[in-house]
Amino acid sequence: MSRDAADIDLPAYIDHALLDPMATEQQVIQACGEAERYRFAAVCVYPVHVRQAADLLHGKQPKVATVIGFPTGATTAATKLYEAQEAVEHGAEELDVVINLGWLKLGESEQIHREIAQICELCDRPVKAILEMARLTPDEKSLAVDVCLDAGVSFLKTSTGWFGGATVEDVRYLHERTRGNIGIKASGGIRTAEQALDLVLAGATRIGTSRGPQLIQQFNEKQS
């Protein structure tokens, strides 16, 4: 492990994800307990579990994040807004929103902007725009970044994890394009501490993974 990597406070980067559609209340309890124990940045759950997670983590360090329009982004703008507003009412502190990828493919930048800007403005919570980088052309990546930045997002997120994962190249691209002015969340296929550290060194400010405890255990073993 390099000196730079050894100095990283890895738990502070992790969004501990529980995004199995069959997740149970007991699994939410476990995920929230792990997030608190390891002092992760957040726990990310489906909207149906937000109220429970918010109750479990009330007054504690990890934030409660949820996903909106997940995993396709292909619901209507009105549906996404309602889903986001309801999640905030239930205690969500951060919103991971999948942009409309069909609109992006058509170059419909105004519709994407309107949808995301409305959620940012009316929900008053940090929004992580999920771009699904593995499915985009270079021109589409550039358009997505420009539109989401102008719409007021707090983070750009590489992927849902359903259609490809985070790469160092994509994280570095997002970091350079945004000049470090907003957060970059790397998500999808992150299975080792080494992967996570490489992504942080490339510019990621959050790491989305369902393997948070395992990553921290690996990290600690490498340091010992």
Side-chain angles (χ1 to χ4, degrees), residues 2-222:
S2 69
R3 180 182 297 274
D4 287 343
D7 291 338
I8 291 171
D9 181 15
L10 188 58
Y13 286 82
I14 290 179
D15 281 8
H16 189 33
L18 178 61
L19 295 174
D20 181 344
M22 292 180 283
T24 65
E25 291 185 359
Q26 186 57 45
Q27 287 174 296
V28 175
I29 293 171
Q30 178 179 338
C32 290
E34 290 168 342
E36 182 185 4
R37 183 180 318 123
Y38 289 98
R39 300 180 68 80
F40 291 150
V43 62
C44 187
V45 296
Y46 276 112
V48 70
H49 298 302
V50 165
R51 192 188 296 275
Q52 181 190 8
D55 288 343
L56 289 166
L57 292 174
H58 179 70
K60 298 173 182 176
Q61 176 174 312
K63 296 182 183 299
V64 176
T66 193
V67 288
I68 304 298
F70 191 87
T72 67
T75 51
T76 66
T79 299
K80 286 183 187 175
L81 178 60
Y82 179 86
E83 186 177 28
Q85 289 177 317
E86 183 181 52
V88 169
E89 290 174 2
H90 290 173
E93 297 170 276
E94 298 180 347
L95 304 169
D96 290 34
V97 182
V98 188
I99 68 170
N100 189 307
L101 299 167
W103 286 344
L104 183 62
K105 291 288 181 181
L106 292 172
E108 297 286 353
S109 58
E110 290 185 9
Q111 293 195 79
I112 299 170
H113 184 280
R114 187 180 305 115
E115 176 181 88
I116 299 300
Q118 192 175 44
I119 294 173
C120 290
E121 180 180 353
L122 297 181
C123 293
D124 193 28
R125 293 292 186 277
V127 168
K128 306 184 192 105
I130 306 177
L131 307 184
E132 212 65 271
M133 296 286 280
R135 303 296 295 271
L136 306 183
T137 67
D139 285 346
E140 289 163 353
K141 292 177 183 181
S142 178
L143 178 60
V145 170
D146 290 344
V147 171
C148 290
L149 283 176
D150 194 57
V153 302
S154 299
F155 291 81
L156 294 174
K157 179 175 172 179
T158 61
S159 349
T160 60
W162 288 54
F163 309 105
T167 67
V168 166
E169 293 75 19
D170 280 335
V171 168
R172 186 175 292 120
Y173 170 82
L174 293 174
H175 178 68
E176 291 173 355
R177 279 297 308 276
T178 60
R179 300 180 181 180
N181 290 325
I182 67 170
I184 305 297
K185 180 173 175 179
S187 184
I190 303 170
R191 297 180 174 85
T192 68
E194 185 176 2
Q195 277 181 290
L197 292 168
D198 286 344
L199 291 163
V200 170
L201 292 172
T205 57
R206 292 284 185 90
I207 298 293
T209 178
S210 61
R211 299 174 174 84
Q214 295 94 314
L215 264 60
I216 301 308
Q217 290 163 12
Q218 292 174 21
F219 180 71
N220 291 339
E221 287 170 4
K222 287 179 180 294

